[in-house]
Amino acid sequence: MRVATWNVNSIRQRLDHLLVWLKDCAPDIVCLQEIKCVDEAFPREPIEALGYNVVTHGQKTFNGVALLSKYPLEESTPRLAGDDDDVHARFLEGVVSLKHGVARVACLYLPNGNPVGTEKYPYKLKWMSRLADYSRERLKAEEPLILAGDFNVIPAPQDVHNPAAWIEDALFKPETRESFQTLLGLGLTDALRAVTDAPGQYSFWITRPARGRRTTVSGSTTCCCRRRPATG
């Protein structure tokens, strides 16, 4: 089973690119972030025509997440538990029906947290604490669990090209990295580091405008956590 994740930064602006990518790569499950539209405006028809089941948790103009699955989706749950006042569309869980059992997939768009000296950073840390609580409970079920999306975290210096440039950024603050390590401590695995520790393999990158031309600026930690198989 191939699981992919992409911060599309507006589904309406990236739809053509998304459809080409889906046709070329044909991932089984796709997690999309920053779809930036309400559920009713999501262009599900051309995606469904490619054989995907689609569920969304949208929001006008900002945020929004979606799950695409070639497998049946038995159920879906929007919003991350732990804060009834948090109305931002940043989390969507789906239960995927497989040939032998089910897998639980959570698509997430973790808060950026900048500027650090504002209420945005405590909100980020609280959100990560809620994510840890969610993961802890879900792992009790002994079902495969995948957390995929834009984590907005630089877990370690080797995850970014120039770590010194990010020292004061919310994505690289010690508290942020400690919160990410809490997830791993629950029995989850950083999917990239599970297959390589080679230098130059970054889980975080950001594109910049070149030579004055207007281009899309995006930062993404598309790190996927998955439950370790039982041993012993």
Side-chain angles (χ1 to χ4, degrees), residues 218-229:
S218 62
S220 182
T221 307
T222 50
C223 172
C224 183
C225 292
R226 59 189 179 190
R227 188 175 185 276
R228 290 178 185 150

Side-chain angles (χ1 to χ4, degrees), residues 50-223:
L50 296 178
Y52 288 94
N53 299 291
V54 178
V55 290
T56 62
H57 178 35
Q59 181 178 341
K60 185 178 181 180
T61 308
F62 301 102
N63 305 319
V65 286
L67 270 172
L68 321 178
S69 174
K70 288 189 173 182
Y71 298 100
L73 284 162
E74 292 189 1
E75 60 184 79
S76 62
T77 306
R79 302 181 63 175
L80 182 63
D83 186 350
D84 293 338
D85 295 328
D86 185 0
V87 297
H88 297 290
R90 294 182 173 274
F91 182 91
L92 178 62
E93 178 194 71
V95 177
V96 179
S97 180
L98 305 174
K99 186 176 181 180
H100 302 288
V102 299
R104 198 171 293 269
V105 182
C107 174
L108 60 97
Y109 175 43
L110 206 146
N112 180 282
N114 286 299
V116 172
T118 69
E119 73 283 354
K120 293 183 177 182
Y121 191 56
Y123 171 62
K124 178 188 185 77
L125 294 180
K126 182 178 180 181
W127 208 96
M128 296 185 77
S129 177
R130 291 161 55 198
L131 182 62
D133 290 342
Y134 159 84
S135 302
R136 190 177 292 109
E137 286 301 310
R138 287 295 186 240
L139 288 171
K140 291 178 182 178
E142 295 293 325
E143 296 172 343
L145 174 66
I146 298 170
L147 310 182
D150 188 339
F151 277 69
N152 269 317
V153 172
I154 303 173
Q158 63 264 35
D159 286 297
V160 67
H161 174 66
N162 182 12
W166 296 89
I167 292 296
E168 299 301 323
D169 195 280
L171 281 66
F172 197 49
K173 295 288 285 184
E175 298 91 336
T176 303
R177 290 186 281 157
E178 289 170 8
S179 295
F180 185 82
Q181 290 301 316
T182 295
L183 288 173
L184 303 186
L186 296 175
L188 294 164
T189 301
D190 183 328
L192 175 62
R193 297 307 165 202
V195 296
T196 181
D197 281 319
Q201 300 296 309
Y202 307 124
S203 67
F204 179 87
W205 66 93
I206 186 165
T207 59
R208 299 286 189 185
R211 298 181 182 178
R213 292 177 295 177
R214 185 178 179 85
T215 60
T216 299
V217 178
S218 62
S220 182
T221 307
T222 50
C223 172

Side-chain angles (χ1 to χ4, degrees), residues 6 8-19 34-37 43 61 214-217:
W6 185 4
V8 293
N9 193 21
S10 176
I11 185 62
R12 283 176 282 197
Q13 292 188 27
R14 305 286 182 269
L15 180 59
D16 290 344
H17 298 291
L18 174 65
L19 295 176
E34 284 201 273
I35 61 174
K36 295 185 177 180
C37 69
T61 308
R214 185 178 179 85
T215 60
T216 299
V217 178

